[in-house]
């Protein structure tokens, strides 16, 4: 039986999404005047109703809060690409350390209502939660779309943005359904991340496997092991796999260190693939895919980029 998550109330939808791991996102329980208990990846935290002073240590969570229209007190890090560019204004959004190392003294002085961790900052949850109410967001690569939706619904519950979340999730599901109607019949794809002149490939259930798992792109290499860092590959591997589509994530470009993906792939071996001959080498928006992946805006932008690519007429193979 297929569950219509959109038609369900927010709390029930979260449980439905995570029957496979219910401890992550059950319905938040109403509590005393102090707030409500919010279950999350590392336990549950009592959060005041509609917190106003919020510090965010996760770009995906910041991306989702931005989509829901939630303003924040402060952020971590210095690099805010794409749709998060407004947070680069350090006067308006003070810095509280980095994604990997919070500024605990600044947090102690600011006394925020809530801290949100996730991804790169999840390892600091224990220390942060001892200082201030903290919730931790995660993205499960094997259930990427479900966790993005569940994380969105959780934040919507915390900030009273349920209506906005329903609209965001419904639009996302509808757009993905349309995209899947095209991808399944347009050939097999291979996902490659480039970094410092090296390449790693990712398949279903992996960090970037949402292209296969949710967007319906048949994998050119279905036997790749799911792992955070992918499997090291070469141009020979790409030729042997012979993908119809080659999806490329340039890590160097994502973190502001130039970018060498196009030079790396522009070689005699890759030129022999169907992807190259048909003009179907797709450079995914690097910062959006590598740094912000897991936010609902980020996922929508990725889906929109792929929709635009697949909407183009088929290219005849190059001689």
């Amino acid at each position: 039986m297929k569950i219509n998550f959109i038609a369900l109330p927010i709390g029930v939808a979260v449980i439905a999404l995570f029957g496979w791991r219910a401890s992550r996102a059950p319905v938040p329980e109403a509590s005393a005047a102090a707030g409500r208990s919010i279950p999350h990846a590392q336990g549950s935290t009592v959060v005041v109703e509609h917190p106003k002073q919020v510090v965010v240590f996760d770009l995906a969570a910041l991306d989702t809060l931005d989509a829901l229209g939630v303003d924040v007190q402060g952020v971590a890090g210095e690099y805010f690409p794409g749709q998060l560019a407004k947070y680069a204004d350090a006067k308006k959004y003070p810095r509280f350390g980095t994604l990997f190392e919070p500024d605990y003294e600044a947090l102690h002085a600011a006394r925020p209502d809530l801290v949100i961790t996730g991804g790169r900052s999840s390892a600091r949850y224990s220390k942060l939660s001892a200082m201030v109410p903290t919730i931790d967001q995660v993205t499960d690569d094997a259930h990427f779309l479900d966790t993005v939706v569940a994380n969105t619904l959780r934040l919507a519950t915390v900030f009273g943005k349920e209506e906005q979340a329903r609209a965001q999730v419904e639009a996302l599901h509808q757009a993905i359904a349309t995209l899947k109607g095209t991808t399944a019949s347009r050939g097999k794809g291979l996902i490659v991340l480039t970094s410092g002149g090296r390449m790693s490939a990712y398949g279903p259930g992996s960090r970037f496997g949402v292209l296969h798992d949710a967007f319906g792109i048949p994998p050119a290499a279905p036997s790749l092991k799911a792992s955070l860092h992918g499997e090291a590959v070469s141009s020979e591997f790409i030729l042997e796999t012979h993908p119809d589509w080659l999806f490329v994530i340039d890590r160097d470009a994502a973190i502001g260190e130039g970018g060498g993906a196009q030079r790396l792939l522009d070689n005699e071996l890759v030129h022999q693939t169907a992807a190259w001959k048909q003009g179907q080498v797709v450079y995914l928006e690097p910062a959006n895919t590598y740094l912000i992946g897991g936010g609902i805006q980020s996922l929508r932008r990725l889906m929109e980029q792929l929709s635009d690519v697949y909407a183009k007429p088929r290219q005849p193979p190059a001689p």
Side-chain angles (χ1 to χ4, degrees):
M1 181 181 68
K2 186 175 181 179
I3 299 173
N4 182 357
F5 297 110
I6 305 303
L8 297 174
I10 284 286
V12 177
V14 175
I15 289 182
L17 280 167
F18 281 86
W20 52 272
R21 194 170 294 180
S23 63
R24 280 193 172 172
V27 180
E29 298 178 357
S31 65
R36 68 175 69 189
S37 180
I38 304 294
H40 54 85
Q42 298 203 45
S44 61
T45 300
V46 175
V47 179
V48 297
E49 295 284 347
H50 308 308
K52 301 297 183 184
Q53 304 298 316
V54 182
V55 176
V56 184
F57 286 89
D58 177 49
L59 292 180
L62 186 63
D63 178 83
T64 297
L65 291 173
D66 187 68
L68 296 176
V70 175
D71 203 11
V72 301
Q73 176 188 14
V75 294
E78 295 294 337
Y79 186 41
F80 299 91
Q83 64 270 26
L84 302 183
K86 71 180 185 182
Y87 299 100
D89 184 349
K91 292 183 179 178
K92 186 174 182 180
Y93 299 101
R95 305 294 187 261
F96 287 85
T98 71
L99 298 175
F100 296 96
E101 193 56 44
D103 184 334
Y104 297 104
E105 291 186 4
L107 276 173
H108 180 75
R111 302 182 64 85
D113 299 324
L114 177 66
V115 163
I116 301 173
T117 60
R120 296 165 177 83
S121 61
S122 286
R124 300 292 182 260
Y125 168 80
S126 295
K127 189 169 182 178
L128 287 167
S129 63
M131 297 176 56
V132 64
T134 304
I135 61 175
D136 187 49
Q137 301 269 83
V138 297
T139 303
D140 188 315
D141 293 334
H143 305 88
F144 189 87
L145 176 59
D146 287 350
T147 49
V148 170
V149 170
N151 286 342
T152 301
L153 299 181
R154 180 187 295 110
L155 292 177
T157 301
V158 170
F159 294 97
K161 297 288 185 175
E162 291 89 347
E163 184 176 348
Q164 292 90 330
R166 288 190 185 96
Q168 293 273 344
V169 171
E170 181 175 7
L172 182 65
H173 276 299
Q174 290 176 350
I176 289 174
T178 300
L179 176 61
K180 289 177 69 175
T182 302
T183 56
S185 61
R186 292 287 299 277
K188 298 180 180 181
L190 178 66
I191 307 164
V192 171
L193 179 137
T194 67
S195 177
R198 299 183 297 274
M199 292 186 286
S200 300
Y202 295 78
S206 70
R207 180 177 182 182
F208 307 111
V210 64
L211 274 71
H212 302 306
D213 304 327
F215 297 160
I217 299 171
S223 62
L224 286 170
K225 295 180 181 178
S227 65
L228 178 64
H229 300 292
E231 287 193 30
V233 298
S234 62
S235 293
E236 286 83 0
F237 174 85
I238 296 176
L239 176 58
E240 291 169 5
T241 304
H242 207 63
D244 300 293
W245 296 86
L246 184 59
F247 301 100
V248 184
I249 304 160
D250 190 330
R251 178 184 178 275
D252 296 334
I255 61 176
E257 294 184 357
Q262 296 190 35
R263 292 191 302 274
L264 182 62
L265 293 168
D266 189 359
N267 64 67
E268 186 175 332
L269 295 175
V270 176
H271 289 178
Q272 298 177 54
T273 65
W276 188 276
K277 291 180 178 180
Q278 296 180 31
Q280 294 180 167
V281 178
V282 181
Y283 295 90
L284 300 176
E285 188 177 343
N288 186 68
T289 308
Y290 181 77
L291 292 178
I292 316 175
I296 195 165
Q297 287 187 104
S298 170
L299 184 58
R300 186 178 67 238
R301 287 169 65 103
L302 174 60
M303 181 274 304
E304 290 171 349
Q305 182 182 4
L306 292 173
S307 295
D308 290 343
V309 167
Y310 276 88
K312 296 178 180 177
R314 292 175 181 266
Q315 297 290 326

